[in-house]
Amino acid sequence: MAQKEEYSYTMLAKLLIVFLIVHLLAVITLILMFSAEHEVASNTKVPVSSVWCSGKDVLTRRCYFKNLCYHHKEDVFVFVHGAQSVRQGLPRNRQEALADLTGGVEQHGNAKLYFNYVDIPEKAVRKGNLSSTILPDKVVLFKRFKPDNLMHVVHDDLLPLFFTLNDLEHAGARDYRVFFVDDYGQSEHLDLYRLFRSRTFPNSHHPLLKSTVKAEGLQDSEADLICFGTAAVGAPANTRWYQYGFDRPQGPVSNIPLSGQNIRSFVEFVRSGLEIQKYDIDMPRFAVRVRQKYPYAVFFSRKTNRRIINEADLIHAISAEFKLRVVSINFETHSLAEIVHLLENATMLVSVHGAQLVLSMFLPENAVVVELFPYAVPADSYTPYKTLAGISGVNLIYRAWENKDSANTVVHPNYKPEYGGIIHLSVEEQISINETVPVGPHRCCMDPVFLYRIYQDTIVDVASFTTVAAGALMERERRINSTVNATENAEDLVPSAVRNINCSFLNQSGVFHIDWDVPWNLKYLGNKSVQYSVKIQKMGEPTYTPYYTPEIHIEIPANEKGTYYVWISSQIDGISGLGHGIPGKCINL
């Protein structure tokens, strides 16, 4: 009986222990659930944002963000406000766009090309209303303008990207990735955009696109916010040489900021990125047809529209008249790398007006560019490639040939409207377009008269073409044989400031004798003509008197007693030197 009672007490104790353990576990579970409900993100780093901007307006402003987020479902950029957020240099009017995303294309106030963000408080992420993931990459936000056209790709996208990333790298920030925040996706010339690849992240050989950025957030592919630890916004608006006519007829921009040196550095970047070896006539890198041991011309052949009908006759004439081998190329038969390789050493490039002519920047100095224009299309009205060739330091010889004979043209009224077709228009409108010769001034981009004429096919008058080309080749020979080296005469070779200005009053002749040291770097700038500007001003007088001399001394009449200040600067080939240095002092007692 005693054994049975002992057994009952033992079982009771065990049941009590189990009961207590179960209830303890239940309490712990409730505590954890309560904690999780009120602090979902307690162990998640909240991407609190900050921004620093400089620049006076949307076209000059550049901004750098910490933890800028992209909400891929809403297609907006998000700034997460928290106690640690910094906002510096923002416009006072929050409605104003923050920065331009295109490098100043057209500067015509298209809000779709500008950047701004939306605000959310930090607690929206911390409480779990929005989930987030942070990528380690540094990104530059950019919008492509027209990535299906090579001229636009180079002029509007690649050049500003090149200088944006250069500026960042020279400031000590390396390996930014490009994030294209447009809707173009995998564009035709994506390989050119891929030249901007990261050296640090081996998987970053391509730009980020809207369609691929979510896949980059591998930590949490379902996150609402993809946040970037560092993001830069705003490309330089000073890499353009041409405006396309959105608010006025197209033409060169005023005060072109680019130099030949800028263009050549970009060309070298592309050549290196495409892994094109320096030209070697004995290196069989490419097929035999693209290896030329003798001077040659390159002819761009268009196969679908804007064709040269008698291109075989034209090629034969170039070969016979100028003793040049001719290589006919197009994008169907040659890769971009092969085309660039050919252009690097060509004597002459011949092409009908079109985007492919932007590749003339890869030609060597003193090469000839002959641009062919269809009937009724005035060359002086469409000058993107003439302007490129004329940029100081590019040193190309440009000529235009125009078809003046209406019998040498083939029109295509049945083409699609964007390719010059007019069959969809009324009979009266078709007659008017046919009678409008030449094409008059117009704005971009769907003027039916311009499209109708620019997409004509052309029979080139060989005799008039060879006259134009011969004049250009004669200019080439003159430049090559000239004692003046075009490269040395390029921009940016300026003398340093004049120093050690001495002035003494010669009582016998009543003049100030002034002399000075030549600019320190003059001996390194070659055999150049130097002119000195000497400005003398009497103390207390509002104006100065200028004098000019090629010598490093001058005598100036000292008619009145008093103290005078003298400023001296130098000029080489019309380019002014660096400032006036420290002024000299002349005293006539």
Side-chain angles (χ1 to χ4, degrees):
M1 187 72 176
Q3 287 184 343
K4 288 183 179 181
E5 289 179 356
E6 185 180 345
Y7 176 77
S8 298
Y9 288 130
T10 302
M11 288 295 296
L12 219 76
K14 289 181 178 179
L15 288 172
L16 182 61
I17 292 171
V18 170
F19 176 81
L20 290 173
I21 291 173
V22 169
H23 279 73
L24 181 61
L25 290 173
V27 170
I28 293 172
T29 302
L30 286 171
I31 292 172
L32 290 175
M33 289 176 63
F34 180 82
S35 175
E37 183 179 351
H38 286 77
E39 278 297 335
V40 173
S42 61
N43 293 322
T44 301
K45 183 178 180 181
V46 177
V48 174
S49 306
S50 291
V51 60
W52 297 264
C53 295
S54 61
K56 63 181 180 179
D57 55 39
V58 67
L59 293 175
T60 60
R61 194 176 293 122
R62 286 197 184 181
C63 298
Y64 301 91
F65 287 85
K66 175 184 177 183
N67 294 336
L68 178 67
C69 301
Y70 176 63
H71 196 307
H72 50 86
K73 294 177 183 177
E74 298 294 333
D75 192 18
V76 294
F77 283 93
V78 173
F79 189 98
V80 181
H81 289 263
Q84 303 295 320
S85 292
V86 175
R87 292 184 297 164
Q88 181 175 313
L90 299 180
R92 291 184 178 180
N93 180 6
R94 190 61 179 82
Q95 299 297 317
E96 181 183 338
L98 201 59
D100 177 76
L101 286 170
T102 67
V105 169
E106 289 310 306
Q107 303 184 11
H108 59 287
N110 187 343
K112 293 181 180 179
L113 304 179
Y114 294 159
F115 172 83
N116 228 328
Y117 59 77
V118 298
D119 304 296
I120 62 169
E122 175 187 6
K123 63 182 179 182
V125 180
R126 189 173 297 281
K127 288 189 175 182
N129 297 326
L130 289 170
S131 57
S132 65
T133 184
I134 301 178
L135 298 182
D137 293 24
K138 298 178 291 185
V139 295
V140 170
L141 306 188
F142 195 85
K143 274 195 174 181
R144 293 167 290 180
F145 184 63
K146 191 172 170 49
D148 60 344
N149 180 286
L150 189 59
M151 167 66 183
H152 289 285
V153 168
V154 173
H155 180 266
D156 307 331
D157 298 345
L158 300 185
L159 273 168
L161 274 174
F162 173 70
F163 286 104
T164 296
L165 293 170
N166 264 5
D167 289 350
L168 289 169
E169 183 165 323
H170 293 157
R174 301 175 66 87
D175 292 313
Y176 273 79
R177 291 183 69 183
V178 179
F179 180 11
F180 290 124
V181 294
D182 51 58
D183 296 313
Y184 289 111
Q186 301 277 347
S187 63
E188 180 180 348
H189 297 288
L190 192 61
D191 282 347
L192 280 172
Y193 296 105
R194 284 175 174 158
L195 296 177
F196 301 103
R197 52 181 174 259
S198 171
R199 291 186 295 269
T200 299
F201 302 102
N203 65 330
S204 301
H205 63 281
H206 58 80
L208 283 170
L209 307 172
K210 283 184 179 180
S211 58
T212 62
V213 67
K214 185 178 177 182
E216 296 280 340
L218 299 178
Q219 300 142 318
D220 184 358
S221 60
E222 297 303 317
D224 298 306
L225 301 179
I226 306 295
C227 304
F228 301 97
T230 305
V233 179
N238 59 351
T239 60
R240 300 163 55 250
W241 70 81
Y242 206 71
Q243 57 85 17
Y244 302 121
F246 284 96
D247 56 3
R248 61 195 185 281
Q250 65 171 273
V253 301
S254 58
N255 302 317
I256 295 173
L258 277 178
S259 67
Q261 183 178 357
N262 297 146
I263 295 291
R264 299 294 177 188
S265 63
F266 170 74
V267 162
E268 178 59 25
F269 165 77
V270 175
R271 190 197 64 76
S272 175
L274 293 175
E275 298 181 349
I276 300 171
Q277 295 186 15
K278 286 292 186 181
Y279 185 82
D280 186 340
I281 60 176
D282 295 317
M283 180 178 292
R285 175 172 172 76
F286 298 114
V288 174
R289 71 178 186 280
V290 302
R291 292 172 53 232
Q292 303 295 322
K293 293 190 177 183
Y294 305 98
Y296 62 92
V298 171
F299 180 85
F300 257 115
S301 176
R302 293 180 67 111
K303 300 300 183 183
T304 56
N305 55 51
R306 216 178 300 172
R307 296 172 297 175
I308 300 302
I309 296 174
N310 62 332
E311 68 175 41
D313 296 335
L314 185 59
I315 289 172
H316 175 75
I318 295 171
S319 178
E321 185 74 20
F322 306 119
K323 304 299 185 290
L324 292 172
R325 295 189 176 189
V326 182
V327 184
S328 179
I329 61 173
N330 62 71
F331 289 109
E332 287 74 35
T333 59
H334 293 72
S335 69
L336 181 62
E338 289 175 318
I339 291 173
V340 168
H341 181 70
L342 279 167
L343 291 175
E344 284 184 320
N345 297 276
T347 297
M348 181 165 64
L349 169 63
V350 180
S351 174
V352 71
H353 175 80
Q356 69 280 355
L357 272 167
V358 74
L359 297 179
S360 61
M361 65 172 58
F362 291 95
L363 289 166
E365 292 188 17
N366 298 317
V368 169
V369 179
V370 182
E371 184 174 9
L372 312 175
F373 284 86
Y375 175 70
V377 180
D380 288 342
S381 298
Y382 308 96
T383 60
Y385 313 112
K386 177 182 179 180
T387 304
L388 169 61
I391 292 174
S392 176
V394 171
N395 296 327
L396 297 178
I397 300 164
Y398 175 90
R399 296 291 186 274
W401 176 89
E402 296 181 33
N403 179 17
K404 300 291 188 181
D405 189 350
S406 61
N408 285 343
T409 190
V410 177
V411 295
H412 296 282
N414 294 313
Y415 276 4
K416 293 180 180 179
E418 60 267 30
Y419 293 107
I422 59 173
I423 199 70
H424 63 290
L425 301 175
S426 68
V427 174
E428 292 76 14
E429 288 175 301
Q430 293 182 48
I431 293 173
S432 174
I433 290 172
N434 270 296
E435 291 178 349
T436 303
V437 177
V439 177
H442 62 89
R443 294 187 181 183
C444 185
C445 292
M446 293 299 292
D447 182 82
V449 180
F450 168 71
L451 294 175
Y452 178 67
R453 291 300 180 184
I454 198 62
Y455 283 106
Q456 300 169 108
D457 296 333
T458 302
I459 300 172
V460 174
D461 178 71
V462 173
S464 61
F465 168 83
T466 53
T467 299
V468 170
L473 289 168
M474 288 178 62
E475 171 64 15
R476 167 183 162 83
E477 289 300 313
R478 187 194 68 78
R479 288 193 188 184
I480 291 174
N481 295 328
S482 172
T483 56
V484 178
N485 186 293
T487 302
E488 287 186 357
N489 281 338
E491 69 293 333
D492 298 332
L493 296 180
V494 299
S496 59
V498 168
R499 293 183 292 183
N500 297 329
I501 301 173
N502 298 305
C503 182
S504 57
F505 175 66
L506 304 182
N507 189 45
Q508 186 175 0
S509 53
V511 298
F512 288 125
H513 176 84
I514 307 169
D515 57 64
W516 55 90
D517 292 345
V518 299
W520 170 82
N521 65 335
L522 191 62
K523 60 186 176 182
Y524 303 107
L525 302 185
N527 184 22
K528 295 179 179 294
S529 175
V530 184
Q531 181 88 346
Y532 293 97
S533 167
V534 181
K535 298 175 182 178
I536 186 166
Q537 181 180 16
K538 186 178 181 182
M539 182 184 293
E541 296 291 334
T543 60
Y544 60 81
T545 303
Y547 297 88
Y548 301 93
T549 177
E551 308 294 338
I552 57 172
H553 56 81
I554 192 172
E555 292 186 349
I556 296 175
N559 298 324
E560 298 182 11
K561 295 184 181 298
T563 300
Y564 294 78
Y565 290 106
V566 179
W567 292 270
I568 302 175
S569 63
S570 57
Q571 284 190 341
I572 292 180
D573 298 331
I575 301 175
S576 297
L578 299 177
H580 295 90
I582 300 174
K585 182 183 289 188
C586 300
I587 300 176
N588 175 10
L589 299 177

